[in-house]
Amino acid sequence: MGKIILVTGGVRSGKSAFAERYAVRCAAQTGAQVAYIATAQVYDEEMRQRVDLHQNRRPADWSTYEAPFHTEDAIRAAGASHGVILFDCITMFLSNDMLQYPEEEQERDDFAVHVGERIGALVSAALEVSATTVFVTNEVGAGIVPEHRLGRLYRDMAGLANQQIASHAEEVYLVTCGIPVNIKKLAEDI
C-alpha cells in the first residue's frame, strides 16, 4: 500500500523545492528511484519559464511523466518501477480538468462531486502502488476573493481537493517563506 505526503503553500513559497528535497531524502533512505509527474501545460512564455525552472532543478536520474490529464494512469505507471513519486501539482491538474467542461457543467451543483471523484482517483492510484507519493498543491483560498465566477469556483474546488488529499496523507506540510511545517503532526496535539 502506498504512502501519501501533501505539500501545500502559496505561490513561490518554496513548496516545490521542499517537495523535491523530501523526494531526494526519501529515495536515499529507501534506495528507490524517483518519478516526477508534471501536470503543467505551456501556453505562454511565463509558463515556459516556470516549467524550465522546475526542469533545471530536477535531478537528471529522475523519470518524468508528462501528464496534464489521465494522471492516475501516470501514478500507476510510475509506481510500477519507482518507489518515490513527486506529483507537481494538484492545482494545475485541477485547472486542466475543470477547463475541459463547459461553463454550464461547471455551474452545476454536483460539479464538486466530479472534482471529488477526480481527486479520489488520484488518491486511489497513489494508495495502490508501492511508493511514497508526494503531492504538491497551492493554497489558493488564502488570498483575495477572485473577481470572476470561474476563479471563485476554482478556489473552492482547490480547497476541497486539498482537504480530500490531506485526509489520506500521513504527513501534510505547509511551506511559507521557504520554511516547511508539518501541520498534520501539529494537529495531533490539538
Side-chain angles (χ1 to χ4, degrees):
M1 184 167 177
K3 175 180 176 181
I4 294 176
I5 307 298
L6 181 62
V7 178
T8 188
V11 173
R12 298 286 194 217
S13 64
K15 62 191 173 299
S16 290
F18 167 72
E20 291 161 5
R21 291 191 308 271
Y22 188 102
V24 166
R25 187 176 69 240
C26 186
Q29 290 172 347
T30 62
Q33 295 294 312
V34 179
Y36 186 98
I37 297 179
T39 60
Q41 297 181 89
V42 177
Y43 292 114
D44 58 28
E45 185 54 32
E46 178 191 3
M47 185 55 84
R48 166 54 48 210
Q49 291 173 3
R50 288 175 182 264
V51 167
D52 288 348
L53 173 70
H54 285 251
Q55 288 175 339
N56 292 335
R57 274 197 323 235
R58 204 174 305 151
D61 63 337
W62 286 12
S63 300
T64 301
Y65 294 75
E66 300 285 342
F69 305 100
H70 310 293
T71 49
E72 63 273 17
D73 296 335
I75 291 171
R76 288 185 186 97
S81 56
H82 298 82
V84 180
I85 300 168
L86 177 52
F87 185 109
D88 199 354
C89 79
I90 289 294
T91 41
M92 189 61 66
F93 160 78
L94 184 60
S95 175
N96 296 339
D97 184 71
M98 286 179 63
L99 293 176
Q100 292 183 93
Y101 297 91
E103 191 173 324
E104 311 80 65
E105 284 190 53
Q106 294 171 356
E107 290 178 351
R108 290 178 40 187
D109 289 339
D110 65 347
F111 195 72
V113 172
H114 163 77
V115 170
E117 290 170 350
R118 295 297 296 128
I119 297 301
L122 299 179
V123 168
S124 292
L127 292 174
E128 288 170 16
V129 298
S130 296
T132 296
T133 301
V134 181
F135 286 107
V136 178
T137 191
N138 286 281
E139 278 299 319
V140 298
I144 61 172
V145 175
E147 178 181 355
H148 301 284
R149 179 207 59 80
L150 182 58
R152 289 188 299 275
L153 176 66
Y154 175 72
R155 175 204 56 194
D156 293 349
M157 295 302 105
L160 293 172
N162 291 348
Q163 288 182 59
Q164 186 175 353
I165 295 170
S167 72
H168 294 279
E170 291 187 26
E171 300 169 26
V172 178
Y173 292 91
L174 171 63
V175 181
T176 186
C177 302
I179 301 169
V181 177
N182 186 337
I183 59 175
K184 196 146 192 180
K185 183 174 173 61
L186 292 174
E188 292 173 1
D189 298 332
I190 296 176

